[in-house]
Amino acid sequence: MTTYIIRRLLYMVPIVFGILLLTFVLFNLIGGDPAIEMAGKGATAETIAEIRAEYGLDKPLFLSWDSQFINHFKNALTFRFGRARDRELITDKILRGAGPSLSLMVPMFFGTIAISISLSLVVAFMRGSKWDTLIVVVCVAGMSLPYLSFILFGQYFLAYKLGWFPVFFSHDLSTARYVALPVIIGILAGLGSYLRFYRTVMLDEMRADYVRTAFAKGLTTSRVLFQHVLKNAMIPIITQVVLAIPFLFLGSLLLERFFGIPGLGYLMVEAIGARDYFVISAMTFISAILYVVFNVITDVCYALVDPRVSFD
Amino acid sequence: MVNDNKLARYDIDAIRHCRFDWMINKHGIITLLLFASMIISSCGKSPQDNGTQEMVLYSALPSKIRGLDPGDIGDVLSATVAGQIFECLYQYHYLKRPYELIPQLAEDMPEVSADCLTYTIKVKKGVYFTDDPAFENGKGRELRAEDFIFAWKRIADVKYLSKNWWIFDGRIVGFDEFREYTKSCEKAADVDYSRPVEGLQTPDDYTLVIKLTRPWPQIIYLLAHQPTAPVAREVVDYYGKDIVSHPIGTGPFILKTWHRGSYIEMVRNPGFRQQFYPTEGEPGDAEAGLLADSGKRLPFCDRIVWTFIEEDQPRWLQFLLGKLDSSAIPKDNFAQAVDMSQKLTPGMKERNIHLKTFRDPDTFWIGFNMEDPIVGKNKPLRKALSYAIDRSKSNELFSNNRNDLAYGFIPPLMKAYDPNVRDIGISYDPQKARQFVRQAERVHGGKLPQLKLSMPGTDTLSRQMGQFYQRGFEEIGLDVEVEYMDWPTFQDKLKTKGAQIFSLGWIADYPDAENFLQLFYSKNVSPGSNNFNYASDEFDKLYEKVITMPDSPERIALYRKAERLIIEDCPAAFLFHRVAYVLHHDWVLNYKPHAFQYGLSKYRRIDLEKRGAYKELLKKSR
């Protein structure tokens, strides 16, 4: 297993290189000159030139040991991302945003997974009944509604009209209090697609011989569903769950923006809007590293839950 | 396969009733518990309910501020926030209109030499920077005249990368040379700030002498502009680049927390010198209760909390819940707040909400790139495009009829505003526009090619506005493609002269029409502020003459003449001047809107009883 993990980690090297190259090339191809916007409304050519020099934008793109790409590469690998355009350290920004983002995304994600898997087992078990039909219809309706409408509706009725939750972040509130409503909205908005997917997975398992055998042996329904069916349905669930974990780090733009959660989703989108290449680059790099690492974890998990999968 | 499915289906149907009730109940209970715990945890006392008699001002910021280092402040929001911490030599009178400057850190108004080239300013004694570890023993030291010169030299220092060099460019004797010297320094640390500048002298700790290269009457406004606030050298040396997060000034408030992108909290500066609420205002102020606190010591509030709320819905709901003291009116909620006669609706009156309106010092336009081979060389085409825009409809559609329509670039707020400008200015006239199209085709020598309009935004409103303009141009037979882009891309296009037609505006830095005139001066073409790349010898001569003139009827006449020249040459189709509609709760006292809203929180007072009563009102309404 160790050899397997080391081998997979070594695969990361060209992938990370590719990511760094791709983000660098894309930004330089598509993006304009960030120094112009930084220089402000009364910009002079010399201020623009100094800004370029300060951020290393005046150096050659590739063909030099001191090129922009080599520096981009070195900074990323040493996690020294430098300063954002507002002159704050990027690592400070990321560290500050990671907590709020994760406190929103982790309960939302695992809440969605737990509820959708449980419900999918029930629905698959009741396949063809009116309950199944009703839940599928509700799921499809939920998937069809824009995410924004869940937010606007939830914020207006649950927070403003009924007063059950705070409408917006306030620095005097505990994290649990200001994150509660966005978490519930996130779970409800995401439930439809997850539930439909897991229902399909569960239905495939329900039709397998071992389920019939288990019932024939007199096992209880809950034991058959939660011990046997669930375990065998784990491969697609693991694929979806583990690979989604790195994205939790990126936060949720809309929820963060509407509820004032000072997380990384907003940071990333704001950086894109302001063309803060330094922040975009740092966030892309961290996300890519996390994605590759969690890919390895997914493979290890396959072997752990399914004896047919071997590290060889 | 079919049979297998049927069998599976049969088996599932047969067994699904066995223990299902138990499962539903167990999962249902868990789910209910989860939801209930979340709801219970989220209910509780709001920050305003903490039962203390602390006077706190709650406000929202519609977007993130960029920094609190005065030398690099280039946006209104940052200046608004920094204005509570930093003070300038002069400030705008809170109540008087037209806007009038009064001393703040200066002892008096400047002493100006007969040739208008030397300004002598006495700096107030007994003004202290707030305590900070940057100072010896952590105690803020007294403000000295050299703190101003240090702050301005930072702006001149090309290594500091300030956005504000435009303030001093070419104005002060020897200052441009200082800037040139900073260019020769290898690193920022190599710049010697003790290097003398002939035009900036401090004969003693409390006297500042400024020598100008030519008369510059607007200097007085810029000495009230946030970037010219004094900065203590010790603070810059102590914090280095982190100074952006450590604003240390002399103002009424101290930064307590700045959670970037989330909220800013300030507390009253315990060492703030004696400053008092104004004793006079304009007619009607006394009746409006704005002089009730005359002569009382400032500031009134103990704390200020600004929350960044970018979306309209949460900002509006927070205001209605009383968690914000004041709010602009979102476009979609306008009818809920203001009726057809532009008065408050009964719903708002029941909540004791007050409406205030005031003119912003701005002008918005569709600009033409005068260096563009199609648009720049074809005046009839520019006129056709200008006549094709239905400004009234646009005002109705996008601004709830709030704005003043623009016929020239000087906004009504300015003293130089010409009420007769509408007689010569361009307004919607599709017939005339079509005539100009025919002339434009003759000038062009055939059918006009497709034109490109650049819009500075990709959001819904930008797209709606872009489509509105496009439709107007189509109606007169012009084919205009609209390009929507983010702000940096848009800026890039403007500064590299790549935009053919563009939508933009200008918010004045001070209440003098000169701030608009410079937008058309040929020496300011892109990447400078003249994004039209307009160049006219006649206008330049007029501009160069008028900028050295003190305020007088003759200067006003020349401003208006310059405006007429621009209207005639048509480098832009002027659209509107914004009129702000602001709501505030009745517990906010001394609320008078101000176009240059820097450092106004010190005047505001909160009636805590009324704030408490609103909460009761809300409870009852639920």
Side-chain angles (χ1 to χ4, degrees):
Chain A
M1 184 166 112
T2 314
T3 320
Y4 173 80
I5 293 171
I6 291 171
R7 197 170 64 231
R8 288 300 308 270
L9 289 175
L10 284 174
Y11 286 160
M12 280 175 62
V13 176
I15 294 171
V16 169
F17 181 83
I19 290 161
L20 287 170
L21 182 67
L22 197 68
T23 49
F24 182 80
V25 170
L26 278 178
F27 187 82
N28 280 285
L29 279 181
I30 299 167
D33 187 348
I36 288 178
E37 209 248 331
M38 288 164 82
K41 61 182 181 182
T44 58
E46 63 207 10
T47 308
I48 293 169
E50 280 295 330
I51 293 171
R52 285 195 190 117
E54 167 80 10
Y55 286 90
L57 302 170
D58 58 340
K59 292 178 177 168
L61 281 177
F62 288 103
L63 300 171
S64 158
W65 284 112
D66 192 28
S67 67
Q68 289 186 47
F69 179 66
I70 297 289
N71 289 331
H72 169 69
F73 197 77
K74 276 195 291 199
N75 293 341
L77 292 184
T78 51
F79 288 92
R80 283 159 56 185
F81 299 114
R83 286 179 188 270
R85 283 187 32 195
D86 60 7
R87 301 188 183 183
E88 194 192 10
L89 284 171
I90 292 171
T91 38
D92 285 357
K93 276 183 187 293
I94 293 174
L95 289 173
R96 194 179 52 232
S101 267
L102 291 175
S103 60
L104 166 71
M105 296 302 289
V106 169
M108 193 171 98
F109 178 68
F110 287 105
T112 311
I113 296 294
I115 295 171
S116 56
I117 289 177
S118 308
L119 278 179
S120 67
L121 277 167
V122 175
V123 172
F125 182 69
M126 300 170 71
R127 183 175 177 264
S129 72
K130 60 185 176 192
W131 283 104
D132 179 34
T133 313
L134 179 69
I135 288 177
V136 169
V137 168
V138 171
C139 284
V140 172
M143 288 162 68
S144 314
L145 280 173
Y147 201 75
L148 191 61
S149 52
F150 281 94
I151 294 174
L152 293 175
F153 179 85
Q155 191 172 52
Y156 186 78
F157 281 99
L158 301 180
Y160 175 68
K161 277 285 179 194
L162 300 174
W164 288 356
F165 302 94
V167 165
F168 200 77
F169 164 86
S170 168
H171 69 289
D172 295 26
L173 296 172
S174 67
T175 308
R177 283 175 63 187
Y178 72 75
V179 147
L181 180 58
V183 166
I184 292 172
I185 289 174
I187 289 173
L188 292 176
L191 210 54
S193 54
Y194 274 93
L195 185 52
R196 289 257 299 152
F197 173 71
Y198 291 134
R199 178 181 171 275
T200 312
V201 172
M202 298 304 175
L203 275 177
D204 284 347
E205 291 301 323
M206 287 286 205
R207 291 169 185 141
D209 276 347
Y210 72 87
V211 176
R212 202 177 320 138
T213 309
F215 277 116
K217 281 185 164 184
L219 294 183
T220 60
T221 311
S222 60
R223 200 162 167 202
V224 172
L225 293 182
F226 287 99
Q227 279 194 1
H228 296 279
V229 174
L230 189 57
K231 192 174 179 186
N232 281 287
M234 272 312 217
I235 292 281
I237 292 174
I238 284 172
T239 309
Q240 195 183 36
V241 171
V242 183
L243 286 182
I245 289 173
F247 295 104
L248 302 185
F249 168 79
L250 289 175
S252 164
L253 165 70
L254 279 178
L255 285 171
E256 287 181 13
R257 201 174 153 114
F258 269 83
F259 290 96
I261 298 163
L264 295 175
Y266 180 54
L267 173 70
M268 184 70 168
V269 173
E270 190 188 51
I272 292 167
R275 198 170 293 161
D276 194 333
Y277 169 55
F278 316 105
V279 174
I280 300 168
S281 165
M283 289 289 289
T284 312
F285 178 70
I286 293 172
S287 310
I289 295 282
L290 286 173
Y291 189 77
V292 175
V293 167
F294 275 89
N295 232 318
V296 177
I297 294 172
T298 311
D299 288 351
V300 173
C301 288
Y302 286 162
L304 293 178
V305 299
D306 190 342
R308 291 169 299 180
V309 178
S310 110
F311 287 111
D312 298 327
Chain B
M1 190 67 189
V2 175
N3 287 339
D4 281 352
N5 273 344
K6 276 186 180 168
L7 184 58
R9 170 75 187 280
Y10 168 78
D11 286 344
I12 291 165
D13 285 344
I15 59 182
R16 71 181 171 209
H17 299 290
C18 304
R19 303 282 294 279
F20 184 64
D21 289 346
W22 172 85
M23 281 166 51
I24 286 284
N25 289 342
K26 192 177 175 186
H27 284 275
I29 288 164
I30 291 169
T31 312
L32 277 174
L33 283 174
L34 183 76
F35 272 66
S37 65
M38 280 179 153
I39 289 166
I40 289 161
S41 71
S42 69
C43 293
K45 287 187 172 181
S46 69
Q48 287 103 323
D49 292 337
N50 55 19
T52 67
Q53 287 301 300
E54 195 184 28
M55 218 182 267
V56 188
L57 204 56
Y58 293 95
S59 308
L61 290 170
S63 70
K64 203 181 123 179
I65 62 164
R66 295 182 188 176
L68 293 175
D69 183 5
D72 197 36
I73 284 176
D75 60 294
V76 174
L77 283 185
S78 301
T80 304
V81 175
Q84 322 302 329
I85 301 169
F86 293 97
E87 296 176 294
C88 296
L89 281 164
Y90 298 98
Q91 63 180 333
Y92 291 94
H93 193 287
Y94 181 49
L95 300 175
K96 286 185 182 174
R97 304 289 183 273
Y99 294 100
E100 182 185 313
L101 285 175
I102 54 170
Q104 190 172 43
L105 290 176
E107 196 65 61
D108 216 329
M109 295 311 280
E111 208 176 277
V112 187
S113 63
D115 60 3
C116 298
L117 289 175
T118 306
Y119 282 63
T120 305
I121 298 164
K122 290 283 180 192
V123 176
K124 265 187 187 141
K125 291 178 183 170
V127 176
Y128 287 84
F129 284 102
T130 52
D131 295 347
D132 190 83
F135 297 109
E136 203 178 328
N137 302 322
K139 291 291 289 176
R141 66 156 170 81
E142 192 180 14
L143 174 77
R144 297 189 290 253
E146 67 186 36
D147 295 315
F148 291 94
I149 296 187
F150 173 72
W152 302 348
K153 280 182 175 172
R154 287 179 83 215
I155 293 172
D157 178 2
V158 80
K159 304 289 177 205
Y160 170 59
L161 309 176
S162 170
K163 300 174 181 79
N164 294 308
W165 172 241
W166 63 270
I167 294 174
F168 299 111
D169 194 3
R171 309 280 195 183
I172 294 173
V173 178
F175 214 18
D176 287 39
E177 289 74 4
F178 179 82
R179 184 168 170 86
E180 283 304 313
Y181 149 73
T182 65
K183 283 183 201 166
S184 67
C185 298
E186 189 109 335
K187 299 193 298 282
D190 297 340
V191 177
D192 176 14
Y193 277 79
S194 61
R195 195 182 172 94
V197 172
E198 194 193 330
L200 293 173
Q201 290 169 15
T202 53
D204 59 63
D205 279 353
Y206 305 103
T207 309
L208 181 64
V209 180
I210 306 167
K211 288 182 186 166
L212 304 176
T213 53
R214 59 171 190 258
W216 179 28
Q218 292 78 23
I219 184 176
I220 191 74
Y221 293 118
L222 288 151
L223 296 178
H225 196 41
Q226 275 301 303
T228 62
V231 176
R233 185 170 191 154
E234 299 93 314
V235 179
V236 176
D237 291 342
Y238 187 82
Y239 289 110
K241 286 188 175 176
D242 285 330
I243 193 172
V244 283
S245 310
H246 298 275
I248 305 297
T250 58
F253 293 96
I254 303 171
L255 179 70
K256 187 183 171 198
T257 315
W258 177 17
H259 195 302
R260 287 180 183 234
S262 181
Y263 74 96
I264 293 176
E265 187 180 4
M266 288 182 191
V267 291
R268 179 205 289 264
N269 173 6
F272 187 58
R273 66 184 182 282
Q274 289 203 339
Q275 202 182 71
F276 303 98
Y277 190 86
T279 51
E280 51 184 342
E282 61 175 343
D285 281 352
E287 293 76 7
L290 288 165
L291 288 171
D293 283 324
S294 286
K296 289 186 185 165
R297 193 170 173 181
L298 300 173
F300 296 113
C301 288
D302 302 298
R303 276 198 302 141
I304 315 174
V305 178
W306 272 290
T307 310
F308 298 101
I309 312 181
E310 291 197 273
E311 291 297 333
D312 285 343
Q313 173 167 298
R315 197 166 55 240
W316 180 243
L317 297 182
Q318 286 287 77
F319 173 70
L320 293 182
L321 286 173
K323 293 182 190 300
L324 293 175
D325 297 324
S326 57
S327 172
I329 311 172
K331 186 175 155 288
D332 294 338
N333 300 97
F334 194 76
Q336 188 188 345
V338 178
D339 63 18
M340 298 294 278
S341 59
Q342 306 291 305
K343 297 268 175 13
L344 275 178
T345 56
M348 292 292 118
K349 284 179 188 162
E350 277 168 23
R351 290 168 179 256
N352 298 317
I353 287 171
H354 296 247
L355 169 70
K356 297 272 162 66
T357 62
F358 68 105
R359 287 190 159 116
D360 272 328
D362 58 28
T363 307
F364 289 79
W365 51 71
I366 294 291
F368 307 118
N369 179 0
M370 298 295 281
E371 289 188 18
D372 179 80
I374 311 291
V375 176
K377 309 282 177 256
N378 198 332
K379 190 155 97 177
L381 174 58
R382 297 196 298 275
K383 292 228 165 182
L385 289 161
S386 301
Y387 277 111
I389 302 169
D390 189 345
R391 291 149 177 88
S392 298
K393 189 73 187 167
S394 163
N395 194 19
E396 181 196 328
L397 279 175
F398 305 118
S399 312
N400 309 100
N401 278 326
R402 274 184 265 194
N403 297 328
D404 289 326
L405 302 188
Y407 301 94
F409 58 78
I410 302 177
L413 170 109
M414 303 269 179
K415 209 167 153 187
Y417 175 71
D418 183 357
N420 300 319
V421 72
R422 66 174 59 202
D423 300 337
I424 55 150
I426 294 175
S427 51
Y428 178 57
D429 188 339
Q431 287 289 9
K432 234 178 195 174
R434 285 189 195 96
Q435 287 168 17
F436 275 113
V437 169
R438 286 193 285 278
Q439 282 183 40
E441 282 173 343
R442 281 197 291 277
V443 172
H444 182 72
K447 191 170 161 47
L448 290 159
Q450 188 186 52
L451 305 171
K452 275 190 180 166
L453 166 66
S454 302
M455 294 294 292
T458 54
D459 55 299
T460 310
L461 186 64
S462 298
R463 288 181 187 276
Q464 288 170 343
M465 292 179 89
Q467 283 162 8
F468 176 81
Y469 299 137
Q470 189 180 34
R471 190 173 57 84
F473 299 144
E474 268 173 12
E475 278 176 11
I476 59 161
L478 292 174
D479 180 12
V480 179
E481 184 195 350
V482 188
E483 298 177 312
Y484 303 94
M485 55 199 80
D486 57 40
W487 181 247
T489 311
F490 182 77
Q491 282 283 304
D492 200 26
K493 274 214 154 199
L494 286 187
K495 300 297 177 193
T496 54
K497 304 181 180 178
Q500 188 178 48
I501 308 171
F502 53 92
S503 170
L504 198 60
W506 183 264
I507 303 169
D509 299 293
Y510 43 84
D512 188 322
E514 179 274 338
N515 200 228
F516 282 93
L517 259 70
Q518 53 92 22
L519 299 174
F520 302 94
Y521 185 45
S522 68
K523 289 185 183 163
N524 291 344
V525 294
S526 297
S529 52
N530 178 357
N531 297 311
F532 314 98
N533 302 308
Y534 174 75
S536 152
D537 289 341
E538 194 182 352
F539 180 88
D540 283 359
K541 275 182 201 154
L542 201 54
Y543 176 75
E544 281 161 12
K545 184 180 174 192
V546 80
I547 56 166
T548 61
M549 290 171 66
D551 187 15
S552 61
E554 191 193 353
R555 187 175 77 164
I556 289 177
L558 289 179
Y559 278 158
R560 289 176 179 173
K561 190 177 172 191
E563 184 180 40
R564 284 169 185 249
L565 263 179
I566 294 298
I567 292 169
E568 177 50 35
D569 279 350
C570 198
F574 301 107
L575 305 178
F576 58 90
H577 311 287
R578 286 186 305 187
V579 178
Y581 279 58
V582 186
L583 299 176
H584 71 88
H585 288 286
D586 64 339
W587 62 74
V588 189
L589 306 178
N590 305 329
Y591 194 100
K592 182 164 183 174
H594 202 290
F596 304 95
Q597 49 186 327
Y598 316 125
L600 301 189
S601 300
K602 65 185 174 191
Y603 300 111
R604 306 268 157 82
R605 195 157 64 80
I606 300 294
D607 184 329
L608 295 170
E609 269 183 34
K610 282 186 177 170
R611 183 182 261 168
Y614 187 75
K615 303 224 171 297
E616 291 304 313
L617 186 81
L618 277 183
K619 273 183 199 163
K620 279 181 197 162
S621 69
R622 275 180 181 152

